[in-house]
Amino acid sequence: MEEMRHDFQSTEEYVASEELLASVNVAIALEKPLLIKGEPGTGKTMLARAIAQSLGKKLIIWNIKSTTKAQDGLYMYDTIQRLYDGQFGEEGVDDIARYIKLGKLGEAFEEDEQVILLIDEIDKADLEFPNDLLWELDQMEFYIHETKRTVKAKHRPIVIITSNAEKELPDAFLRRCIFHYIDFPDENLMSEIVKVHYPDIEENLLKNAMDVFYWIRSIRDIRKKPSTSELIDWLNALQRNGIDPDSLREKLPFVGVVVKKDEDLETVRHYV
């Protein structure tokens, strides 16, 4: 059996676990979408940027909203603009192709080189949205009815899909994906992540801040657990203001950088 190539590696700005690296490279090798789940702040969206940087490829981002339809990612026929141009006698109004605008999936298909396509927060759309993309993601093509043109991918994009697990995704969709759940970083990995941002951080400050950070996350009644980005912001505030690392647990300086809900703040102070 031929050994699989591991092309994606952690970058200077993104530290990935060995399990995540393996999942990305399996998805690339098998030419399947990679579905990434994990709690907010675990770097799901940043992963696509890191893959693009690591592989030297263009990143196309399709941000999904509650109103997004699968058709939005394929193309849009701008009938309003065509009607407007017709009223004012613009030339070329009979050329329907002028009024076809490709969506993010269409853009990825038309690129002359392979790109990374991020479908971000797919679970924000309605339940039918993932199933409506099955054909396009399987066959890497779609048909434009207005111009009778089939858009085929020049190069199969590397598709990264993120989900915050707000809704269950259809089984038929899940079967076509490689799945990876990003666990919240343990203290060793978190230390590596922090040092990407602050390579010269004082060790005692890092240790004490992480002790407090993971203690807050461990409190059962906390509704919004602080994320990696909030730890990084907190460390920035602590460093800028010269806070004594040994007083963090007792004084909780700038705790509002880490804890963002009133009831969580009361809970933390109750346990101090």
Side-chain angles (χ1 to χ4, degrees):
M1 182 176 178
E2 184 178 349
E3 184 178 353
M4 185 181 302
R5 292 180 60 202
H6 286 246
D7 292 329
F8 170 56
Q9 299 294 332
S10 294
T11 68
E12 291 183 359
E13 299 176 355
Y14 189 93
V15 179
S17 67
E18 290 299 320
E19 293 81 6
L20 178 54
L21 291 174
S23 294
V24 171
N25 287 305
V26 165
I28 293 172
L30 298 182
E31 298 186 333
K32 289 180 175 290
L34 176 63
L35 174 61
I36 296 290
K37 287 188 179 182
E39 67 177 82
T42 48
K44 298 185 297 297
T45 300
M46 289 178 60
L47 172 64
R49 299 184 186 278
I51 295 171
Q53 179 183 349
S54 175
L55 302 183
K57 296 182 182 295
K58 179 179 178 180
L59 173 63
I60 295 177
I61 301 176
W62 184 9
N63 290 305
I64 306 302
K65 302 177 182 178
S66 60
T67 56
T68 302
K69 303 297 181 185
Q71 179 66 35
D72 300 337
L74 307 183
Y75 73 93
M76 181 190 73
Y77 173 32
D78 194 344
T79 54
I80 302 300
Q81 185 63 49
R82 188 184 181 203
L83 179 62
Y84 180 86
D85 289 348
Q87 289 177 336
F88 288 90
E90 291 285 337
E91 293 184 5
V93 73
D94 292 333
D95 182 6
I96 296 178
R98 288 184 57 193
Y99 302 95
I100 299 294
K101 181 180 179 181
L102 294 178
K104 296 299 184 180
L105 192 61
E107 288 180 23
F109 285 3
E110 289 279 80
E111 288 286 339
D112 291 329
E113 297 183 0
Q114 186 184 50
V115 300
I116 311 297
L117 173 64
L118 170 63
I119 304 177
D120 203 21
E121 298 190 322
I122 194 171
D123 51 327
K124 282 189 174 180
D126 64 42
L127 293 174
E128 291 304 313
F129 177 84
N131 279 339
D132 290 343
L133 284 177
L134 289 180
W135 168 265
E136 288 76 16
L137 291 178
D138 273 348
Q139 303 299 319
M140 287 288 148
E141 67 178 45
F142 61 87
Y143 184 69
I144 300 178
H145 297 277
E146 290 80 3
T147 60
K148 297 181 174 55
R149 174 193 172 210
T150 297
V151 177
K152 293 186 178 183
K154 296 178 181 178
H155 301 276
R156 178 181 286 267
I158 297 171
V159 180
I160 309 298
I161 303 170
T162 68
S163 169
N164 287 324
E166 294 179 3
K167 299 174 186 173
E168 284 297 322
L169 299 174
D171 288 346
F173 181 80
L174 294 175
R175 282 196 297 270
R176 290 163 168 82
C177 297
I178 302 297
F179 173 73
H180 184 88
Y181 186 91
I182 299 182
D183 292 315
F184 197 83
D186 62 20
E187 294 196 27
N188 289 332
L189 182 57
M190 184 65 81
S191 179
E192 290 185 47
I193 293 171
V194 168
K195 287 178 179 178
V196 166
H197 297 270
Y198 309 122
D200 300 321
I201 190 169
E202 199 267 317
E203 287 293 335
N204 193 37
L205 173 61
L206 176 58
K207 179 184 181 304
N208 287 344
M210 287 209 307
D211 286 347
V212 174
F213 174 79
Y214 280 97
W215 166 70
I216 292 173
R217 283 184 55 87
S218 72
I219 298 174
R220 184 183 61 184
D221 297 328
I222 291 292
R223 293 182 59 190
K224 182 189 179 302
K225 293 182 182 295
S227 67
T228 303
S229 61
E230 286 154 342
L231 172 61
I232 290 169
D233 288 343
W234 191 40
L235 286 167
N236 189 17
L238 296 174
Q239 289 182 108
R240 286 175 176 270
N241 289 274
I243 300 299
D244 176 13
D246 296 322
S247 68
L248 298 186
R249 179 68 177 264
E250 294 75 24
K251 297 182 179 179
L252 293 177
F254 312 113
V255 68
V257 178
V258 181
V259 181
K260 302 294 179 68
K261 289 183 176 289
D262 293 342
E263 55 267 45
D264 287 346
L265 191 57
E266 291 178 10
T267 300
V268 170
R269 286 176 171 160
H270 172 77
Y271 281 98
V272 171

